[in-house]
Amino acid sequence: PEGLARTQQNLGLAYLALGDWERAESSFQSAIELYQKTHSRLYLALASMNLGNVHLRRKQYDQAETVYRQAKDVLEQTGYIWGLAQVLNNLGMACTGQEEWRQAGDFFRRSIALWRQLGEPVSQANAEDNLAEAYLLQHRWEEARAVLNQARVRLGGFEPVGRVGALLSDIDDHLRAVEAGAAKAPEA
């Protein structure tokens, strides 16, 4: 079952990359069912996280949150910090989609702290950008600006290509949204 589960997991990842949500969901669901027959709790959690990613991309935020929470519990129990940092970030995005602002912020801040602990500045900046986006959606312009500026500084020493380049572009887009929003906001 474990070999078949890994095959289904890899198929799911391929379908996810292709944007074929139906097949990705089916493959991850098959992987989860197979992993449940094994002792591979960590791989079960990772397959669950990937299933959550399908739901997140389909804007099925409540379903994504449910699956992510299941994965989070296992990742906390196993002590797999990298996976936990990732699933906390993803939980933040699912909660943002549901406008559960307090929970989203809590998840993002926990993710940011874990990425810092792991010495992963690019992933930390990504979680900071996601937190800033939640602030933007709430019109919390100054908080968004502060987090985005931190993320931009964090990425300053990296070559702006690949993931870093895309992230810098997102941060710049969000900073422009901050400026536009702050300019329209009534003065206190």
Side-chain angles (χ1 to χ4, degrees):
E2 187 153 338
L4 288 173
R6 287 191 186 178
T7 299
Q8 288 298 313
Q9 169 83 334
N10 289 336
L11 276 172
L13 291 170
Y15 290 133
L16 187 61
L18 292 170
D20 188 338
W21 313 131
E22 300 295 327
R23 287 186 175 157
E25 182 175 352
S26 176
S27 294
F28 290 134
Q29 198 62 50
S30 293
I32 289 166
E33 290 168 12
L34 289 163
Y35 280 131
Q36 287 172 337
K37 297 176 184 175
T38 72
H39 296 289
S40 300
R41 293 180 58 225
L42 181 57
Y43 286 114
L44 173 62
L46 296 175
S48 296
M49 186 164 48
N50 285 321
L51 178 59
N53 293 344
V54 172
H55 291 309
L56 189 66
R57 292 192 182 163
R58 295 173 93 177
K59 299 185 185 332
Q60 298 168 331
Y61 301 118
D62 57 336
Q63 291 172 279
E65 180 183 1
T66 299
V67 177
Y68 287 146
R69 284 184 182 274
Q70 292 167 356
K72 179 183 84 60
D73 291 344
V74 172
L75 293 166
E76 285 175 332
Q77 292 165 8
T78 60
Y80 184 46
I81 303 300
W82 190 94
L84 182 58
Q86 186 62 54
V87 81
L88 289 169
N89 178 69
N90 294 1
L91 269 164
M93 292 190 298
C95 289
T96 296
Q98 298 174 83
E99 297 183 3
E100 295 174 2
W101 305 121
R102 187 191 54 74
Q103 284 188 67
D106 290 346
F107 285 130
F108 286 133
R109 282 186 286 280
R110 286 181 60 199
S111 176
I112 289 164
L114 289 177
W115 289 126
R116 184 180 313 114
Q117 175 186 331
L118 290 167
E120 294 282 347
V122 176
S123 294
Q124 182 180 343
N126 180 65
E128 289 168 335
D129 181 55
N130 290 332
L131 174 59
E133 187 170 5
Y135 287 150
L136 283 171
L137 292 169
Q138 299 170 73
H139 301 170
R140 294 167 63 180
W141 311 118
E142 294 311 313
E143 290 164 287
R145 183 192 327 267
V147 173
L148 290 166
N149 285 333
Q150 288 173 355
R152 191 140 212 356
V153 168
R154 193 168 322 290
L155 297 175
F158 291 92
E159 189 70 29
V161 294
R163 180 179 182 208
V164 172
L167 184 51
L168 285 168
S169 178
D170 285 348
I171 290 169
D172 288 342
D173 288 346
H174 290 147
L175 281 168
R176 282 190 287 279
V178 164
E179 296 307 322
K184 292 179 185 176
E187 292 189 30

